Every structure is written in C-alpha cells, then in structure tokens.
Amino acid sequence: MTTFEKINDVLVHLFQEIWELEEKAIITEEFKDITNNDMHIIEAVGLGEGNNMTTIAKKMKITVGSLTTSMNSLVKKHYVERNRSEEDRRIVNITLTEKGIKAYKHHEEFHEKMSQAAISEMSEDEVKVLLKSLNNLSKFFHSYDNE
C-alpha cells in the first residue's frame, strides 16, 4: 500500500471511528435521553448568555426549522431554555440550563481527551505539521462545500 493509500485509508476509517466512539463516550447513562446530534446542538448553543436560533442554525449548517424540532425536545428534557430578549421581544435567545452545562462540559472533556491522545507522543514540530495538515483538510472541506 502506498503512502497516499495509507493516508486515505486512515482518514476514511478515522471519521467513522470518531463518530461511533463519540456516541459511545458521550451518550452515557446520565445523558441517555439525548442523541449525539442533540449533544452537538448543546455545543452550538455554548456557554454564556446564549445565542438566537438563527446563529445556532448557522453554526450547525441546518435550517432554523430543522433546529426547532430538536430544540423543542431539548427544552422538554431541560437541557436548554428559551429567553426573550429584553431589547427586542421578537428575539428568542437559547441558553443552557444547569443540566445542559453539565452535558456541554462532558462533551468538551471527550474532545479534550481525543485531541490530547492525538498529540501525546509528538514533538512540538510534529504537532505543527499535524496542525497544518488538519488545516489543509479543513480548507478542502470548506471549499468542497462551497462548490
């Protein structure tokens, strides 16, 4: 197998493995009432004062209508709450509840462990090369998405 074929093989399998492992690691007994997709919505809402539906939908690259269905479920399960803006009552901000913050931090911890595992046995120069490679891959995804 050539180096190019090995890289291709690793990338193809890595994406699938990350998705499967993330679901197993994130959707624990404590968070069994949500999906991996719900967890990514919680991540998009983020910590702090929250975001409106349009901002969250853009982060997720989905329509506001699609987000509404998931958001309704997350509100019912007490992971997020809706709050009307004091300045403009038409604007509804979404914020994480205490339960949502706990889920967010759980998800963040998985990503930190994954990133640390990727660089744990690398020199500083190797980490720079990996970062450049990942940035190139990201640029490819963004340009491919915009074609």
Side-chain angles (χ1 to χ4, degrees), residues 44 51-60 64 67:
N51 288 303
N52 63 39
M53 292 286 284
T54 302
T55 302
I56 297 166
K58 283 181 183 175
K59 281 184 185 179
M60 299 289 300
V64 173
L67 179 61

Side-chain angles (χ1 to χ4, degrees), residues 8-126:
N8 183 64
D9 189 58
V10 167
L11 287 174
V12 168
H13 290 98
L14 192 58
F15 290 124
Q16 184 64 34
E17 289 170 3
I18 288 171
W19 186 257
E20 289 173 5
L21 179 61
E22 184 178 50
E23 190 164 3
K24 288 177 190 172
I26 289 174
I27 309 305
T28 61
E29 186 64 28
E30 184 175 8
F31 303 112
K32 67 182 177 188
D33 60 338
I34 58 173
T35 65
N36 207 17
N37 188 55
D38 289 336
M39 192 64 89
H40 287 109
I41 292 170
I42 289 169
E43 179 183 37
V45 171
L47 300 176
E49 295 180 22
N51 288 303
N52 63 39
M53 292 286 284
T54 302
T55 302
I56 297 166
K58 283 181 183 175
K59 281 184 185 179
M60 299 289 300
K61 296 184 178 181
I62 60 175
T63 66
V64 173
S66 296
L67 179 61
T68 299
T69 303
S70 296
M71 201 58 74
N72 288 341
S73 173
L74 288 171
V75 168
K76 282 182 189 174
K77 295 173 186 175
H78 306 287
Y79 284 92
V80 300
E81 56 187 22
R82 291 180 170 103
N83 304 296
R84 291 225 175 255
S85 169
E86 293 299 321
E87 295 83 37
D88 185 343
R89 302 291 292 161
R90 296 172 297 175
I91 297 173
V92 178
N93 289 313
I94 307 296
T95 56
L96 298 179
T97 62
E98 189 174 319
K99 186 177 181 182
I101 291 169
K102 196 171 185 181
Y104 178 96
K105 289 183 176 180
H106 175 68
H107 186 217
E108 182 179 54
E109 183 180 311
F110 170 77
H111 282 265
E112 286 175 10
K113 287 179 181 177
M114 180 178 62
S115 297
Q116 189 57 43
I119 63 170
S120 65
E121 296 179 15
M122 294 180 142
S123 69
E124 194 172 317
D125 287 340
E126 290 171 323

